[in-house]
Amino acid sequence: MNRFFWMREDRAVADTYGGEAHGSHKWGLPGASCSACGATWSGAGHYLPSVDLSQLPEHRAFEKARPEPFPEFVRLRELVRPLVAPDSQLPPGTGFGPLVGTAFGKLPAFAWIIDVLLVHREAVERLQAEELRGIHPCPTALRFRQKRPPELLELQVQPRGRLHPACVPLDVPPPCPTCGRHAFRRPDEPILDTASLPPELDLFRVSNFATMVIGTERFVDAVRRLNLDGITFRELPTR
């Protein structure tokens, strides 16, 4: 049976390098205000840096983060729909296009901006040589202060697997039938839903808690063997 690992920033290692990166995606869906459940919300963890919205006549409507009434959110979401894969989740706050921002100093092989996963080009090429599945690097538009900056790429990580239903407290209401919001805290002891885990990917996000990035045992073994730093691994149970 495959083993799965929750991957997060190795803050101790990152601090030894002393560099930092800050940024956000060039475009994004707005937040949504839902009259059915009364919530105004925007999700995190859904990023499609490979998707270019510049061809849309209304591309400027995706440049400023803000909430919109749910019908307007739906209208904007459907403008984007033809540009993404048919099975793409597009919740409020989904980011598109390159990561725009600033960076300085040295960074580990894997660098993080909250839950956005960045990796040096050299590290990407070494991972791709391992024939790992689901490695989709995308250019960034980060501006470095130094004269010879590294080339940082963003890994586009698809939301696929899910947390097991046992991770959702019994007193949490079901998802809103209108906007889809399902608000629950990340459990201290996450469990992955075995039936939902994608057999074709070695790297993916948890679709009902997309800030969680998951790697298979194959991915973890490759990272350790290649001595790529900046990332920690915690094995998660499945059920």
Side-chain angles (χ1 to χ4, degrees):
M1 176 179 285
N2 208 345
R3 299 163 67 196
F4 297 89
F5 296 79
W6 179 12
M7 308 194 309
R8 289 183 284 182
E9 180 180 22
D10 190 333
R11 191 66 248 177
V13 166
D15 288 344
T16 66
Y17 280 82
E20 291 184 14
H22 306 275
S24 58
H25 294 92
K26 186 171 183 178
W27 301 285
L29 288 176
S33 296
C34 179
S35 59
C37 67
T40 296
W41 66 286
S42 179
H46 293 268
Y47 312 119
L48 295 170
S50 65
V51 176
D52 181 0
L53 300 192
S54 62
Q55 59 190 288
L56 292 178
E58 293 190 59
H59 65 90
R60 294 192 180 279
F62 300 91
E63 293 178 354
K64 183 179 180 181
R66 70 207 183 274
E68 291 283 4
F70 189 69
E72 173 63 5
F73 162 78
V74 170
R75 185 187 76 82
L76 294 171
R77 181 186 65 192
E78 295 313 302
L79 292 177
V80 174
R81 184 78 68 185
L83 305 180
V84 305
D87 60 349
S88 295
Q89 299 180 31
L90 296 174
T94 298
F96 306 99
L99 202 65
V100 179
T102 59
F104 66 87
K106 293 182 178 181
L107 296 164
F110 289 97
W112 300 71
I113 300 180
I114 307 177
D115 64 320
V116 175
L117 184 55
L118 304 175
V119 62
H120 290 262
R121 173 171 289 281
E122 297 85 351
V124 165
E125 292 172 350
R126 295 173 70 192
L127 289 170
Q128 289 175 324
E130 298 287 325
E131 299 184 352
L132 296 170
R133 302 159 301 175
I135 305 299
H136 187 179
C138 300
T140 64
L142 295 172
R143 301 185 309 277
F144 274 82
R145 297 178 187 174
Q146 57 259 47
K147 292 182 179 179
R148 291 181 142 185
E151 185 176 0
L152 281 183
L153 304 174
E154 178 184 350
L155 293 185
Q156 180 170 297
V157 186
Q158 303 177 61
R160 284 295 182 270
R162 298 178 64 82
L163 290 177
H164 191 274
C167 294
V168 182
L170 294 176
D171 60 350
V172 170
C176 173
T178 298
C179 70
R181 182 174 182 263
H182 193 198
F184 62 94
R185 294 181 59 185
R186 185 180 67 210
D188 293 333
E189 301 297 332
I191 303 169
L192 298 176
D193 182 14
T194 304
S196 73
L197 300 175
E200 75 283 5
L201 296 176
D202 288 310
L203 186 68
F204 57 93
R205 291 180 181 270
V206 177
S207 60
N208 59 344
F209 217 107
T211 55
M212 294 181 66
V213 180
I214 305 297
T216 63
E217 186 175 8
R218 290 182 74 239
F219 185 89
V220 173
D221 286 348
V223 169
R224 287 172 172 163
R225 188 171 60 255
L226 296 172
N227 199 28
L228 302 177
D229 57 6
I231 197 166
T232 65
F233 305 103
R234 173 183 168 185
E235 185 171 1
L236 295 182
T238 60
R239 185 189 303 174

